[in-house]
Amino acid sequence: MKTGVRALGIAESYRAETSHLAGTVVRASRVVDGFVFSSCTVGGSDATDAVCAMVERLDREDVRYLLLSGIAPAWFNVLDLRAIREETALPTISVTFESSPGLESAIREAFDDPETVEARLETYRAQPDRRRVSVNDETVYVRAVGLDGDAAADVVRGFTPEGGRPEPLRVARLAARGLVEAERDG
């Protein structure tokens, strides 16, 4: 991957009812050259809209890929990868870092209202399947819209200089945690 290719990584950190989202533009050469911030509701259904608004507000035509940390930030505020791809026109990749049997049973247990459960499950089931990807002797799980599985794996590897967390997501997670700490310290 060429060193000047840029990806926007979005990660979250939450406290109480608000999830702070941080977006970081990182070049494949590991140079950070942009930030964007937003929030969504813990337990809500506004994460997809928040991500799309972040990309729009960032307004960077040089960003080639969108990497998302997970599929359900902010306590099952499920992201719709296809809607994000359609709205932003960016190839969209969700990266998770642990093996799991999926979120269906956890979503059922987390919410009492059957309509809420069904709406989240409908969005969750509509997402592409996770694909196991080896990165620097670690394993991550990738869902991709707008590029095939092999290309998505290449993007994840190209933005992961060491360990298993792509640099745009690593830096975004640090920035999101910083926002939560700043809010706590007031």
Side-chain angles (χ1 to χ4, degrees):
M1 179 168 303
K2 293 183 180 180
T3 60
V5 173
R6 290 166 176 82
L8 170 61
I10 297 178
E12 62 105 22
S13 186
Y14 70 88
R15 179 173 172 222
E17 289 121 25
T18 302
S19 176
H20 295 282
L21 301 173
T24 307
V25 177
V26 178
R27 295 182 199 168
S29 64
R30 297 187 301 257
V31 172
V32 175
D33 74 358
F35 289 96
V36 63
F37 300 96
S38 190
S39 63
C40 63
T41 308
V42 172
S45 58
D46 56 350
T48 296
D49 291 340
V51 166
C52 291
M54 290 171 76
V55 173
E56 182 178 336
R57 197 167 54 257
L58 186 63
D59 194 27
R60 295 277 301 261
E61 291 183 17
D62 57 346
V63 170
R64 296 263 313 270
Y65 304 102
L66 175 59
L67 283 79
L68 302 168
S69 184
I71 191 76
W75 199 60
F76 305 114
N77 196 331
V78 182
L79 293 167
D80 185 338
L81 304 180
R82 288 181 171 84
I84 292 168
R85 162 69 173 162
E86 186 174 314
E87 179 73 23
T88 67
L90 290 172
T92 302
I93 304 167
S94 168
V95 182
T96 55
F97 305 98
E98 296 176 14
S99 177
S100 82
L103 298 178
E104 288 199 31
S105 63
I107 290 170
R108 288 183 200 287
E109 291 174 18
F111 298 96
D112 295 327
D113 177 41
E115 289 181 28
T116 300
V117 169
E118 201 48 48
R120 286 169 205 273
L121 288 177
E122 183 178 327
T123 301
Y124 177 69
R125 290 176 185 145
Q127 303 316 303
D129 291 332
R130 290 188 334 157
R131 179 176 181 214
R132 184 183 173 116
V133 174
S134 293
V135 181
N136 299 325
D137 296 325
E138 295 193 29
T139 300
V140 298
Y141 302 87
V142 173
R143 299 173 196 262
V145 178
L147 65 170
D148 68 33
D150 290 338
D154 289 344
V155 169
V156 170
R157 288 183 189 113
F159 281 95
T160 310
E162 60 184 45
R165 191 172 300 267
E167 195 70 358
L169 296 179
R170 187 187 75 76
V171 176
R173 184 174 83 164
L174 291 171
R177 286 181 176 173
L179 285 172
V180 169
E181 289 177 21
E183 180 183 85
R184 183 191 68 225
D185 295 342

